[in-house]
Amino acid sequence: MAKRSSLSIRIVEGKNLPAKDITGSSDPYCIVKVDNEPIIRTATVWKTLCPFWGEEYQVHLPPTFHSVAFYVMDEDALSRDDVIGKVCLTRDTLATHPKGFSGWARLMEVDPDEEVQGEIHLRLEVVPGTRACRLRCSVLEARDLAPKDRNGASDPFVRVRYNGRMQETSIVKKSCYPRWNETFEFELEEGAAEALCVEAWDWDLVSRNDFLGKVVFNVQRLWAAQQEEGWFRLQPDQSKRRREEGNLGSLQLEVRLRDETVLPSGCYQPLVQLLCREVKLGTQGPGQLIPLIEETTSTECRQDVATTLLKLFLGQGLAKDFLDLLFQLELGRTNEANTLFRSNSLASKSMESFLKVAGMRYLHGVLGPIIDKVFEEKKYVELDPSKVEVKDVGCSGLHRPQTEAEVLEQSAQTLRSHLGALLSALTRSVRACPAVVRATFRQLFRRVRERFPSAQDENLPFIAVTSFLCLRFISPAIMAPKLFHLRERHADARTSRTLLLLAKAVQNVGNMDTPASRAKEAWMEPLQPTVRQGVAQLKDFITKLVDIQEKEELDLQRTLSLQAPLVKEGPLFIHRIKGKGPLMSSSFKKLYFSLTTEALSFAKTPSSKKSTLIKLANIRAAEKVEEKSFSSSHVMQVIYTDDVGRPQTAYLQCKCVNELNQWLSALRKVSINNTGLLRSYHPGVFRGDKWSCCHQRDKTDLGCDKTRSRVTLQEWNDPLDHDLEAQLIYRHLLGVEATLREKHQQLRAGPKTGAVPTGPGEALGDPLAQLLQVLQDLREAHRASLAGSPRSEPSRLLELQT
């Protein structure tokens, strides 16, 4: 049994932000911190006080996290970025919103005395004295304190206050992980109501000391317990009254906390096997559980259910069969050909998720170079005469206004070039498309042609494929390349317009240049020759794409199964040391890294031969490095053992906080089941004769901070977690159990259902009755896990095997 927490975060937009630049505007972006740890940075939206981001993230966390905070910042090129304000949501607040927090939240002032982080290790004892009992407070160490100085560290000391007396520890210079091991004693008065206050401060020579956090203890409780020791989270100073800062604007958020208790795999086998049997039997199955799940799934949660089911069946090797079943169900209830796959049905949502899970690398290979070219050229492109902006052209001294006709012609030429390049790349990509995607499109093509066999619907199988490939995959990626990880930043207004027009052209090609699509925007007419040519290219591409035989599909899948799946790749900077003694120097060298399920490898270029740096089984931790360690930000460390078992550390630098967290997430997810994972580490480096973080001189010291192996960002190419997907499906079905029972009662009352099943043997022919029984078994298993009692494997496991 494992407890898992996750946050679904959508940062929608901001409004009425204050102007931070002399131009009367701002360049806002958001930083998301979980317990003061930055995990997400949105793109910057330039020159606006009402930015729109529309960015979504899924973060997996340990259940012990306390809060998530959203900081709205103003980016400055020449100075430090300005803090506009923040919104903080505690775990308790999110727990009171089962369907998630959604709406506008007012930005609050960022008070330095409230920006605290870290924990302090204390031992508190009540000891007998000569005249009265004494309270002994041992200040041992602290970790992850807030860096308050320019050098990226602090100079911390601790004040202990009780009953009007104050005592202080020594000052530890340049450390966020200080160790004191100092003890203080206070005389206790029986029945005293005074609290013991332990405060951490950053010492400053010239300015006032900075507050780092505090912990307050109830002395009466300590008296009763006699002794208490542990790590205590530092709390902010909320004794001061918050001063009004005027209107800092608002932030629209959608944040949902999910806590899941995942049972052992055996508990979910009856549910998984029952669903798999229904998919294998297809539309001829006796119970039609998949149609019932679709019928009882509300619109607001259909995407989540579709993604979970898709991943569940993908892990069972039944994704193609599952989608084929959904295709047949949708075709069976569709009478009008022009409405096929146009709704947000379970089939449409599942296919969207499937393309993102199985086809994201393929999309990057086809679309990436075209998107990069659009961003690099930054040309002014406009086809709508009502929106054309006339500008000056020519060299110095010979400027003349560019006519509207010239703008339209140049724009059409640019778009024709981009569209032609995209279609050419697409037609060349048949062999690069994953076999499972090709086989799924083959099934879709066949099913549509069987359902609509007449000559007037000859284009319909092609349109069915393009409705997913072009309209729901390629076009959205063109319009929002950052959301598909094609770019790190959002496009500016000019580039966004170019991308929008290109996406419209792709949609026209995907619609097979129907009169209806042409009639919508007549000013797209200049692209018609390229669109008509593109239709022919696209039909030829689809014909080749779906022309994959079962043997070829199996051969391609067998070839891929022999290769270690690629998890992540890209350029990083590795830390290298040159020379020895006083001539020793260090630097970061750029290399191209790739992470598979077997090893982390590197090469000089993407096409060069790769050399293994770290075997995956040898990874012990992947963590961040303090900025002061190398005077560089976004550095991570991979702690591993070499072939003879000696501990080693590789230091790798990323170019931004998002890339850093993505690499950390990938490394943590692929090594999560390794033996010997570390529980603590050093966030600094061992330089000279001591660690830069805690100043300890023992190089083999266990570490001064705890590892964060459970903090990860969800990506589309994540390793499948079969138990978690089964738990999510169980939770959804539990929410609609009453509807399912009602449906079962209706089926039992029908004239064709026969006798009512009364036990497991009779229920074997009734899948819905089996499903309800499985839900009951899982509910009992969860109750047993909460009670701590052991539970045997489900007794119906063999009955449900197929």
Side-chain angles (χ1 to χ4, degrees), residues 652-761:
L652 305 171
Q653 185 177 22
C654 307
K655 57 187 174 184
C656 64
V657 66
N658 280 351
E659 186 179 70
L660 171 65
N661 285 310
Q662 288 165 8
W663 273 101
L664 284 172
S665 294
L667 287 162
R668 288 168 179 171
K669 281 180 280 197
V670 295
S671 61
I672 193 65
N673 294 318
N674 283 5
T675 56
L677 288 177
L678 299 179
R679 299 180 66 180
S680 62
Y681 79 108
H682 285 284
V685 295
F686 194 83
R687 185 175 288 121
D689 62 346
K690 63 182 179 181
W691 288 99
S692 63
C693 44
C694 58
H695 305 332
Q696 297 304 300
R697 299 186 180 278
D698 183 3
K699 191 174 182 179
T700 61
D701 186 76
L702 290 178
C704 53
D705 198 7
K706 58 185 177 183
T707 55
R708 296 167 175 81
S709 60
R710 293 288 177 182
V711 181
T712 58
L713 293 172
Q714 181 169 303
E715 300 287 348
W716 285 107
N717 60 345
D718 278 353
L720 296 173
D721 190 334
H722 310 299
D723 296 341
L724 179 59
E725 308 305 339
Q727 166 63 23
L728 293 176
I729 287 297
Y730 158 70
R731 184 166 51 79
H732 169 72
L733 292 173
L734 200 63
V736 297
E737 184 183 15
T739 307
L740 292 174
R741 289 193 178 278
E742 201 174 300
K743 188 72 176 177
H744 187 236
Q745 291 290 339
Q746 294 173 4
L747 293 173
R748 280 173 36 176
K752 298 179 182 179
T753 54
V756 178
T758 56

Side-chain angles (χ1 to χ4, degrees), residues 120 122 124 135-139 157-169 182-186 195-201 215 217:
I120 189 167
L122 303 171
L124 306 170
L135 174 60
R136 180 179 296 166
C137 176
S138 298
V139 182
F157 68 95
V158 172
R159 287 177 181 162
V160 185
R161 301 174 184 270
Y162 176 70
N163 202 20
R165 290 187 57 202
M166 181 185 73
Q167 300 186 59
E168 294 184 354
T169 67
E182 299 182 28
T183 300
F184 307 98
E185 289 192 0
F186 300 90
L196 175 72
C197 183
V198 180
E199 300 174 344
W201 291 83
V215 185
F217 295 93

Side-chain angles (χ1 to χ4, degrees), residues 445-463:
F445 193 90
R446 288 178 179 175
R447 297 299 185 189
V448 176
R449 190 165 56 184
E450 291 169 0
R451 175 66 178 82
F452 297 96
S454 63
Q456 65 180 8
D457 295 322
E458 62 177 352
N459 279 338
L460 204 55
F462 295 97
I463 293 175

